[in-house]
Amino acid sequence: MPKVRSILFCLSLAFFLDARAANTNSIAWHTATDRVSADVKGELLWPLLEDIAHQTGWHVFVEPDTERSASVKFKDLPPDEALKMLLGNLNFAFVPKTNAPSQLYVFRTVVQNATRPVLASRVVVAKQRHVANELLVKLKPGANIDALAKSVGAKVVGRNDKLGLYLLEFPDAAATDAALASLKNNPDVQSVDYNYIYDPSPTPQLYSGAAPAQPKLIADVSNPGDPCNPVVALIDTAYQPSGTSLDQFALPPISVTGEDCPPASGITHATAMYQTILNAVAQASGGHSSVKILPVNVFGCDGTANTWILALGMQAAATNGATVFNMSLGGAADSPVLDDVANQLLSQGVVIFAAAGNTPVSAPTYPAAIPGVNDVTALGQPGQLASYADFSPQVDMALPGTSIVYFGGQAYVVQGTSPATAYASGIAAGTKGENCPTWTQIQSAMQKQFAVPSQ
């Protein structure tokens, strides 16, 4: 069993949870008027703080082993007075933020001991959007897509005969829904589903702190086709060369969107993930590597991707020799069509790392939760999940959720399960290129070293 090189990353704490509207009978936190009303009896501390986090959007941290039972009733108090009533003899510190969620620290001793994040209660996972009048169909060998499309009143607007995958367009949403129900029972159809929409991952932000120096990485001679020289498919947004020595690790970018978008004004998500992957490669390989990265753009000019384009991007990556897929993206819907594409690639020996998602729930995110895919969540600090990170049972490993990268003379920070996934892909590729263990050995070792902390 190979040893995966132990890696220490510089972490910073910042969190991205959307504030959610109040919906409770016991505590009403009116953020618009900055007034709080409460009527609680015997309310334990943990659910109380979950409720506060849920209503305010604050990121709340509590000192471990702190306990309290609150029984209070008041109306229209300012937040500071309301917290004093609710928390009683416990100490608290409120840290307001302008461009990020504010933070509340609850503690018995000193504020530095308030380290355990409180997850907002009743977090709702939004239903994933889909293109209203499109379906994806994967046919069984020998089936005729044109005849099938005609039978359900659809037009074939996209086809990939190699995958047996087709995109059908319908007159309206009602016809699409009716055809979906019909095609699920068609003997020529292997799988069918909506064309789901994937929103973009968090945009890298300018970093004003003391940025660490990026690891130096020397490019070794790469022999195309050598299984010990991995190619990482960066399935993401458009990639931008940085004008530095890191550019030499990039293969010619591919775009499967069919769109010609104007250049991005700042650093793109893909560019941040590219550098994050190489930072991990540098640390896993000892500073020299033959790893190559193949940027594959699956996000259109509107900033979104969809299942059809994602499937085309995955196939294009495999066709162009990628052996590791970095998929720092995802959604709530489990598409059987995308499952089929992923399973086909996995059966060919492709290794896939995908992001678990940036909502603190136990619900799965796809494609990360597809069996065989490495489902990666994020750490906020060593041994502790980030407060925004998905913690579903399917998650395989947890890595740092913060990455600092450089572009155009500026330092940027990006946070979430996206950089955690990029770290994982880079560690796997760097380890493969260093002493060529099997992918099974690498993944097994990583799951042990980067085990998911217990909740």
Side-chain angles (χ1 to χ4, degrees):
M1 179 69 66
K3 181 179 180 181
V4 179
R5 192 181 296 268
S6 180
I7 300 175
L8 298 177
F9 295 101
C10 178
L11 303 179
S12 64
L13 292 176
F15 304 93
F16 300 97
L17 283 179
D18 293 330
R20 289 167 170 84
N23 184 25
T24 176
N25 293 324
S26 58
I27 300 177
W29 208 285
H30 304 290
T31 55
T33 60
D34 212 24
R35 286 294 183 269
V36 185
S37 298
D39 185 358
V40 297
K41 184 175 294 186
E43 182 84 344
L44 297 178
L45 180 64
W46 200 259
L48 174 69
L49 294 179
E50 285 181 331
D51 204 353
I52 292 173
H54 168 75
Q55 295 194 53
T56 62
W58 297 345
H59 290 153
V60 182
F61 302 86
V62 63
E63 183 174 349
D65 300 323
T66 300
E67 297 180 356
R68 170 172 164 74
S69 177
S71 295
V72 294
K73 183 176 181 178
F74 56 82
K75 186 176 182 180
D76 293 334
L77 290 181
D80 186 65
E81 293 183 26
L83 287 171
K84 291 177 181 177
M85 293 284 288
L86 291 167
L87 299 177
N89 61 353
L90 296 178
N91 302 307
F92 68 89
F94 178 69
V95 182
K97 300 283 186 178
T98 54
N99 297 317
S102 298
Q103 298 168 345
L104 174 66
Y105 297 87
V106 179
F107 53 98
R108 292 175 288 103
T109 56
V110 294
V111 66
Q112 290 83 358
N113 290 337
T115 58
R116 186 178 179 188
V118 176
L119 302 181
S121 63
R122 295 180 291 282
V123 174
V124 177
V125 179
K127 186 177 181 180
Q128 190 168 351
R129 297 181 297 136
H130 62 268
V131 182
N133 65 331
E134 293 181 352
L135 291 179
L136 270 74
V137 178
K138 185 170 176 60
L139 293 186
K140 295 178 181 177
N144 186 317
I145 184 59
D146 297 303
L148 183 141
K150 184 177 180 180
S151 71
V152 292
K155 180 168 60 174
V156 181
V157 294
R159 62 172 67 222
N160 186 305
D161 294 320
K162 184 174 183 178
L163 288 176
L165 185 62
Y166 305 93
L167 182 64
L168 302 185
E169 183 181 82
F170 295 83
D172 51 44
T176 306
D177 294 341
L180 177 61
S182 172
L183 291 173
K184 285 182 177 179
N185 298 314
N186 190 304
D188 289 334
V189 174
Q190 180 171 319
S191 57
V192 58
D193 204 353
Y194 294 116
N195 188 16
Y196 291 107
I197 296 171
Y198 297 86
D199 293 320
S201 299
T203 303
Q205 302 295 315
L206 281 172
Y207 183 69
S208 58
Q214 287 203 309
K216 294 182 179 180
L217 185 60
I218 299 172
D220 290 341
V221 175
S222 178
N223 297 316
D226 185 340
C228 296
N229 294 338
V231 174
V232 180
L234 176 59
I235 300 177
D236 211 296
T237 61
Y239 159 76
Q240 308 149 298
S242 63
T244 70
S245 61
L246 294 181
D247 292 345
Q248 63 187 314
F249 295 93
L251 295 172
I254 297 171
S255 177
V256 294
T257 65
E259 298 178 345
D260 186 14
C261 307
S265 56
I267 185 173
T268 65
H269 187 264
T271 303
M273 295 304 99
Y274 176 91
Q275 291 189 30
T276 303
I277 291 170
L278 289 180
N279 288 347
V281 168
Q283 297 185 59
S285 66
H288 60 90
S289 180
S290 58
V291 167
K292 293 293 184 182
I293 299 180
L294 173 64
V296 181
N297 181 17
V298 296
F299 283 84
C301 297
D302 65 353
T304 67
N306 59 58
T307 314
W308 168 251
I309 296 298
L310 189 54
L312 294 184
M314 293 170 73
Q315 178 60 32
T319 300
N320 283 272
T323 50
V324 180
F325 282 29
N326 185 89
M327 303 183 71
S328 293
L329 49 80
D334 181 11
S335 167
V337 176
L338 192 60
D339 290 357
D340 284 343
V341 174
N343 287 330
Q344 182 175 331
L345 294 172
L346 290 168
S347 69
Q348 296 169 3
V350 171
V351 178
I352 304 175
F353 294 88
N358 297 331
T359 303
V361 295
S362 60
T365 297
Y366 297 90
I370 296 174
V373 173
N374 292 286
D375 194 335
V376 185
T377 195
L379 297 173
Q381 56 185 341
Q384 188 175 97
L385 286 179
S387 64
Y388 54 77
D390 185 292
F391 52 89
S392 67
Q394 293 86 358
V395 172
D396 296 304
M397 60 187 74
L399 286 91
T402 301
S403 177
I404 298 174
V405 298
Y406 299 85
F407 186 76
Q410 295 276 358
Y412 291 84
V413 61
V414 59
Q415 293 179 308
T417 55
S418 287
T421 303
Y423 280 134
S425 299
I427 291 168
T431 303
K432 182 72 171 180
E434 185 177 24
N435 50 25
C436 206
T438 68
W439 288 120
T440 299
Q441 290 175 322
I442 292 172
Q443 292 171 94
S444 177
M446 288 180 66
Q447 289 178 16
K448 290 180 180 178
Q449 182 173 345
F450 305 111
V452 181
S454 58
Q455 283 295 105

